[in-house]
């Protein structure tokens, strides 16, 4: 039977966040951010294994306890997110028809409900798909001087989130050229092969912790849930 593996790239430096400690190890409500991310994935009964990709030179991971029976640690992070995912996939060597759910370490507020919805809706899809949010705000094109040059119709526009769920064989094939700058998420790599991944409605709270101000918002969301 096909297995279901969560693959969590966590080898970034968090340059926009700007802290000396990478954002995935910063404290949120008494635990490193990454622990919240791994917990929601491990708690899903359909997920068999949770693999986290960290940098080979990571100085922080081993200073925490990670009491997750489903957890596998892969010290094979690469120069870009796509390379970290490709390296992690190569190290895991899953069966071609296993499902892989790639989920950003920095999206620690993913809800169990949204995760379950993705797995339920993609479980028999021929291509795979992603959580995404329909764009709610009016979209502006800005110029170099931060002046509006156009208003972009938002019909049909979605913001890609993670997890992004694809069969391991198709994903490995799509990420064969992980250094291609056009590959900014797994779906874009699958699209380059000519496929059209499914869009499953995500949630605003599944945002990516990116800027320093995001940490307090994530803490509030997680505190309200517990
Ligand atoms: N990531 C990774 N390997 C990289 C770069 C990023 O595994 N070489 C991971 C990050 O750890 C993060 C996820 O990919 O969990 C999404 O990336 P992002 O939010 O952009 O994190 P960073 O790249 O660390 O942040 P920044 O872009 O601000 O430097
Ligand atoms: Mg980045």
């Amino acid at each position: 039977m096909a297995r279901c593996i969560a693959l969590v790239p966590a080898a970034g430096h968090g340059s926009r966040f700007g802290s000396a400690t990478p954002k995935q190890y910063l404290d949120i409500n008494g635990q490193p951010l990454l622990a919240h991310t791994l917990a929601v994935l491990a708690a899903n009964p359909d997920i068999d294994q949770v693999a986290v990709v960290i940098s080979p030179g990571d100085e922080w991971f081993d200073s925490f306890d990670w009491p997750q029976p489903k957890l596998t640690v892969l010290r094979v992070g690469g120069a870009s997110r796509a390379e970290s995912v490709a390296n992690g996939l190569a190290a895991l060597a899953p069966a071609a028809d296993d499902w892989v759910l790639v989920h950003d370490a920095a999206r620690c507020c993913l809800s169990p409900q949204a995760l379950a919805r993705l797995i339920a809706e993609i479980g028999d899809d021929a291509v795979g798909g992603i959580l995404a949010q329909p764009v709610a705000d009016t979209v502006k094109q800005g110029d170099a001087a931060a002046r509006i040059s156009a208003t972009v119709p938002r019909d049909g526009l979605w913001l890609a989130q993670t997890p992004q769920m694809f069969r391991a064989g198709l994903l490995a094939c799509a990420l064969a050229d992980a250094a291609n700058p056009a590959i900014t998420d797994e779906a874009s790599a699958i699209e380059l092969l000519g496929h059209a991944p499914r869009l499953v409605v995500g949630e605003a709270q599944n945002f990516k912790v990116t800027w320093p101000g995001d940490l307090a918002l994530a803490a509030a969301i997680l505190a309200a849930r517990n």
Side-chain angles (χ1 to χ4, degrees):
M1 217 184 88
R3 300 175 74 238
C4 201
I5 303 163
L7 181 59
V8 181
H13 301 293
S15 55
R16 284 169 291 183
F17 198 99
S19 63
T21 302
K23 60 188 179 183
Q24 56 271 34
Y25 297 117
L26 294 179
D27 184 275
I28 296 187
N29 305 343
Q31 286 188 315
L33 185 158
L34 177 61
H36 296 279
T37 309
L38 299 178
V40 69
L41 295 165
N44 184 291
D46 292 320
I47 293 181
D48 300 294
Q49 183 180 12
V50 178
V52 61
V53 179
I54 63 174
S55 162
D58 187 300
E59 300 164 18
W60 295 273
F61 187 88
D62 291 336
S63 60
F64 300 99
D65 283 332
W66 304 95
Q68 287 294 353
K70 294 182 184 178
L71 188 64
T72 302
V73 184
L74 305 167
R75 296 169 195 267
V76 296
S80 67
R81 181 186 174 285
E83 288 170 82
S84 293
V85 172
N87 293 352
L89 203 54
L92 277 174
D97 68 340
D98 284 346
W99 286 108
V100 178
L101 285 88
V102 180
H103 183 58
D104 292 327
R107 290 185 197 270
C108 54
C109 295
L110 171 67
S111 73
Q113 294 80 8
L115 174 59
R117 185 163 66 243
L118 177 74
I119 294 173
E121 292 196 25
I122 299 303
D124 56 3
D125 196 274
V127 176
I130 72 171
L131 284 183
Q133 256 319 69
V135 172
D137 297 322
T138 296
V139 180
K140 301 296 186 188
Q141 178 86 54
D143 66 15
R147 292 207 161 264
I148 296 170
S149 53
T151 297
V152 181
R154 67 167 177 243
D155 308 331
L157 290 186
W158 296 66
L159 299 173
Q161 301 184 338
T162 68
Q164 304 206 351
M165 178 171 173
F166 296 100
R167 298 275 188 189
L170 180 62
L171 187 57
C173 187
L175 293 176
D177 181 21
N180 179 350
I183 297 179
T184 54
D185 64 355
E186 290 63 54
S188 59
I190 302 284
E191 292 160 51
L192 287 171
L193 294 182
H195 299 293
R198 275 270 306 281
L199 291 162
V200 176
V201 175
E203 54 191 0
Q205 62 187 266
N206 184 25
F207 71 100
K208 194 170 65 166
V209 171
T210 304
W211 309 100
D214 294 343
L215 209 58
L217 179 58
I221 290 169
L222 292 168
R225 200 177 285 169
N226 293 330

